[in-house]
Amino acid sequence: MGTTIDFIEYICDQIAGVGEIHYKKMFGEYMVYVNGKPILLVCDNAVFVKVLPCLDETMREADKGFPYDGAKEHYVLDIDNAKFSKEVIAILEPVTPLPKPKKKSK
């Protein structure tokens, strides 16, 4: 079961106001970007964030899971809790680097 576009739009509604939000379909699932930075990984209608030291305290009670086969373990974000989701994004956005520009082939 893949992620539905309705769910992606719901996520964007829940985190509205945290910055410039857009999403991109990748490998049949989605990445949600905030201010051009990859913040949320969405697979099978579940929202995942990287396990990082800056989130240890905030996400201490969160479930963990694997977004896809071969992936590292991630926190599962309760996107239904908009206030909490925005808090997590506020912690992640400053420490997440912008993606490296793709090299153009000649």
Side-chain angles (χ1 to χ4, degrees), residues 1-11 28-30 41-48 67 76-80:
M1 172 187 136
T3 299
T4 64
I5 193 68
D6 290 340
F7 188 67
I8 287 293
E9 290 175 357
Y10 172 71
I11 292 167
E29 294 295 350
Y30 292 87
L41 179 58
V42 186
C43 299
D44 292 327
N45 283 348
V47 182
F48 297 90
V76 178
L77 182 62
D78 178 9
I79 198 65
D80 293 328

Side-chain angles (χ1 to χ4, degrees), residues 11-26:
I11 292 167
C12 293
D13 288 344
Q14 289 293 94
I15 63 171
V18 297
E20 182 183 321
I21 301 166
H22 76 276
Y23 55 87
K24 187 184 292 186
K25 191 166 190 160
M26 303 174 77

Side-chain angles (χ1 to χ4, degrees), residues 28-82:
E29 294 295 350
Y30 292 87
M31 180 65 73
V32 177
Y33 294 80
V34 176
N35 298 327
K37 299 175 180 182
I39 302 290
L40 305 176
L41 179 58
V42 186
C43 299
D44 292 327
N45 283 348
V47 182
F48 297 90
V49 294
K50 277 187 174 181
V51 174
L52 296 172
C54 62
L55 291 175
D56 286 349
E57 183 64 26
T58 305
M59 298 291 286
R60 71 183 174 280
E61 294 180 20
D63 291 335
K64 290 183 181 177
F66 297 91
Y68 53 88
D69 289 340
K72 292 181 181 178
E73 191 172 49
H74 284 59
Y75 290 117
V76 178
L77 182 62
D78 178 9
I79 198 65
D80 293 328
N81 184 337

